[in-house]
Each structure stands twice: as structure tokens, then as C-alpha cells.
Amino acid sequence: MKTAENEEREAVGMLAGELVCFVHVEGLFQVYGSPALYDGGDGCVKFDPVIMDLIRIEFGTDATFAIVAHELGHRLQDMHGEKFTQEGADFVAGCALARSGRPVTPFLDFLKKYDAGPPSFDARAAATLAGAEYCAHNMRAINWIGP
């Protein structure tokens, strides 16, 4: 059976050259209100393993995969000197989903139910779908942040 941790490892493997560190932090959700985050301070992407497993149970492994890819998107934004935006990270999540042959619907279902914004759900969904579309047609593109 796949777990959220397996999904995280798969997403990390896709962007291994772009990641500095990857850390599970129990209680992260209670402090930050997010199952995962990248704050740029130490170069680490952090995850709450308990919350990620609850998300996997409710929405499936494609959603946890996308959450990890989203946070890696923030890591990429940081590495390339880009402004941190949710839409930019969602573009990366959509791209990672397309490159791994996964659907975007579970991630969008998660966002619709639990993300209060800003930005709006519609803006985040559009960015995720744009990333999936771009990478589905440009599988060899190295630009994960977008055209």
C-alpha cells in the first residue's frame, strides 16, 4: 500500500536535483495551518506526516503527491529568485502530475475543500491545469516554473 511518505519520496525523486532537504515535522499543521510548507529559511521542505496520511486517506495518493510537488515548486521559485506565489507552485504541481501520468482532480478536490485562499480556488485550479497542460505537451521541457 502506498503511503504519503512513499508519494513524497516519488515527488522528491522527480526533482532530486532541485531539493536541498526534506523533513517530517509532526505538529506542523497545528502551528502553520498547512500540511506542508517551504519557508526558504533553511532550504527544507517540511511535512506533517500525520496530516499527510489523513489527506491520503480522504483524497488519495495523487493529492499527497501534488502537495509535495507544490512545496517543491516553492523551492524552485526560491532557487530561481522568483517571487513565492501559490499559482507558481500550483503550476509545478500540475506539471509533476502530468509528467507522472497522474490526474489533477484529487489535488483540486483537496484545494477546493480545504484551501481558503488567497488566491481564489479558481486561480489555483487554472494554474494547476496550465502546468499539467504545459508539461503534458512538453515532457522534455526543463522549465518547471512555466513558460
Side-chain angles (χ1 to χ4, degrees), residues 20-125:
V20 172
C21 73
F22 177 73
V23 180
H24 283 158
V25 180
E26 288 192 34
L28 183 78
F29 183 78
Q30 288 79 3
V31 175
Y32 294 99
S34 177
L37 68 87
Y38 174 77
D39 63 14
D42 60 5
C44 294
V45 175
K46 300 168 183 76
F47 303 91
D48 188 320
V50 174
I51 300 300
M52 291 293 278
D53 276 338
L54 292 174
I55 293 168
R56 179 191 50 78
I57 290 165
E58 184 172 353
F59 296 99
T61 57
D62 295 328
T64 56
F65 177 90
I67 290 167
V68 172
H70 170 95
E71 296 307 325
L72 292 172
H74 287 308
R75 174 71 177 129
L76 287 169
Q77 289 171 331
D78 188 33
M79 291 177 66
H80 295 280
E82 301 280 331
K83 179 182 176 193
F84 280 31
T85 66
Q86 294 303 315
E87 295 98 323
D90 291 334
F91 184 97
V92 173
C95 181
L97 288 165
R99 286 188 174 186
S100 63
R102 295 169 180 268
V104 298
T105 306
F107 181 57
L108 297 179
D109 290 345
F110 163 76
L111 289 177
K112 190 169 195 169
K113 185 169 182 179
Y114 289 109
D115 187 69
S120 69
F121 168 76
D122 290 341
R124 295 195 65 185

